[in-house]
């Protein structure tokens, strides 16, 4: 990954809960042109709640999730922060899809949005 991080957030949608096996995904968004991968990548696409198609990319060798792109905003690449190495800089400023947040899942005190930030 090169370039500046465009957004930092957490997502408690059911798909992120299933993909991570926990209560939320921690995501840093980068311009898609700033993200490159050496080696083989497999993808899995499925419809998102928004009606867009979310395509998750993963390593076919070990299954680690690498990044995701939404047809809603494919100029952005969503990277799970944990794969980026030293990530002390991560400072999420919102929780999206708080409507499916679980009480046992501890998150920082940030604004919570039922779905996306710009929707109810
Ligand atoms: Zn999500």
């Amino acid at each position: 990954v090169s370039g500046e991080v465009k957004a930092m957030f957490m997502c408690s949608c059911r798909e992120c809960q299933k993909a991570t096996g926990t209560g939320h995904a921690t995501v840093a968004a980068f311009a898609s042109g700033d993200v490159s991968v050496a080696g083989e990548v497999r993808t899995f696409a499925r419809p998102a709640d928004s009606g867009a198609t979310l395509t998750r990319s993963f390593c076919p060798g070990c299954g680690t999730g690498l990044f995701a792109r939404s047809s809603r905003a494919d100029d952005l690449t969503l990277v799970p922060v944990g794969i980026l190495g030293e990530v002390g800089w991560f400072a999420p400023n919102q929780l999206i899809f708080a409507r499916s947040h679980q009480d046992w899942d501890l998150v920082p005190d940030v604004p919570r949005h039922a779905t996306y930030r710009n929707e109810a």
Side-chain angles (χ1 to χ4, degrees):
V1 170
S2 61
E4 292 181 8
V5 62
K6 303 294 187 189
M8 296 184 265
F9 60 91
M10 299 169 294
C11 181
S12 288
C13 80
R14 291 290 295 134
E15 289 305 320
C16 284
Q17 290 174 351
K18 291 174 185 174
T20 63
T22 185
H24 66 270
T26 54
V27 179
F30 295 89
S32 290
D34 289 344
V35 177
S36 61
V37 176
E40 190 181 355
V41 172
R42 294 267 176 84
T43 61
F44 185 78
R46 67 181 309 146
D49 286 353
S50 64
T53 298
L54 185 74
T55 302
R56 293 184 186 273
S57 297
F58 59 94
C59 171
C62 70
T64 298
L66 298 173
F67 58 89
R69 292 189 179 124
S70 172
S71 61
R72 190 173 184 256
D74 64 2
D75 55 326
L76 284 179
T77 294
L78 309 174
V79 180
V81 171
I83 71 167
L84 292 175
E86 174 47 53
V87 289
W89 49 265
F90 184 67
N93 64 5
Q94 59 179 306
L95 174 71
I96 64 171
F97 283 87
R99 70 184 182 188
S100 48
H101 177 257
Q102 304 294 321
D103 288 342
W104 49 258
D105 181 42
L106 303 180
V107 296
D109 184 19
V110 294
R112 296 180 179 208
H113 306 284
T115 59
Y116 298 102
R117 176 164 50 184
N118 298 327
E119 298 175 18

